[in-house]
Amino acid sequence: MTYRVCLVCMGNICRSPMAEVVLRHVLDERGLGRRVTVESAGTGGWHAGDPMDARALRTLSEHGYDGSAHRARQFTHDWFDRYDLVLAMDRDNLAVLRGMAPSGVEVSLFRSFDPAAPEGAEVPDPYYGGSEGFVEVLELVEAAAEGVAKHIADEIG
């Protein structure tokens, strides 16, 4: 049985695909890669089919990650049945996801798994800024990915 995770931001070209690549790497390092599928999507569909933002891809590459295979997708309400864990990058996308989630389905913030992050901490959208915003996003998702991986390890035993 495979445990399935979906990480969600707005357009699925910056934050959530960066988090997808990082979390997949962390899970592989812990020996859980074959037991966990990590995917990402956006609440909006205007970038569907597009590759990752070039700045996000470059930042990942400069830090030893490969995000070249990514293609943006839009999360839809019927996807909740596909995933064991759905995590939003910020409160706006969390609200959208909770609004479409079936009764009883829990959706959380990605950074809620980082023990050093304050309650309600978000991964900020770097899209309209410079390269330093993408480096900040990478640092934040690396910190939270460790906690997400621990949670998944506890879940799957």
Side-chain angles (χ1 to χ4, degrees):
M1 183 170 152
T2 301
Y3 189 91
R4 296 190 54 146
V5 181
C6 191
L7 310 173
V8 184
C9 66
M10 188 172 293
N12 193 220
I13 60 168
C14 297
R15 296 172 288 173
S16 60
M18 290 178 77
E20 174 188 348
V21 169
V22 170
L23 180 57
R24 191 177 292 129
H25 174 81
V26 170
L27 290 166
D28 284 345
E29 283 186 332
R30 290 179 175 228
L32 298 171
R34 292 179 180 226
R35 298 178 62 196
V36 183
T37 299
V38 182
E39 299 176 346
S40 65
T43 56
W46 51 90
H47 292 294
D50 291 348
M52 190 181 305
D53 181 284
R55 298 165 296 174
L57 188 60
R58 184 172 44 254
T59 300
L60 286 172
S61 179
E62 288 171 352
H63 291 86
Y65 300 102
D66 180 10
S68 62
H70 176 76
R71 294 298 176 266
R73 305 175 315 149
Q74 183 177 8
F75 193 97
T76 60
H77 67 87
D78 59 322
W79 285 21
F80 284 102
D81 290 340
R82 299 181 190 182
Y83 298 102
D84 301 292
L85 184 63
V86 177
L87 301 175
M89 295 293 117
D90 62 34
R91 287 184 294 271
D92 290 340
N93 288 294
L94 179 66
V96 171
L97 290 167
R98 285 182 173 166
M100 67 169 102
S103 179
V105 172
E106 180 58 34
V107 183
S108 301
L109 286 170
F110 184 75
R111 287 196 63 206
S112 68
F113 290 89
D114 178 354
E119 184 160 339
E122 302 175 295
V123 177
D125 190 350
Y127 186 77
Y128 293 105
S131 61
E132 67 281 348
F134 290 87
V135 173
E136 177 188 13
V137 165
L138 180 59
E139 291 169 354
L140 295 173
V141 300
E142 284 178 330
E146 292 294 334
V148 174
K150 181 185 179 322
H151 170 80
I152 292 169
D154 291 346
E155 287 285 306
I156 64 177

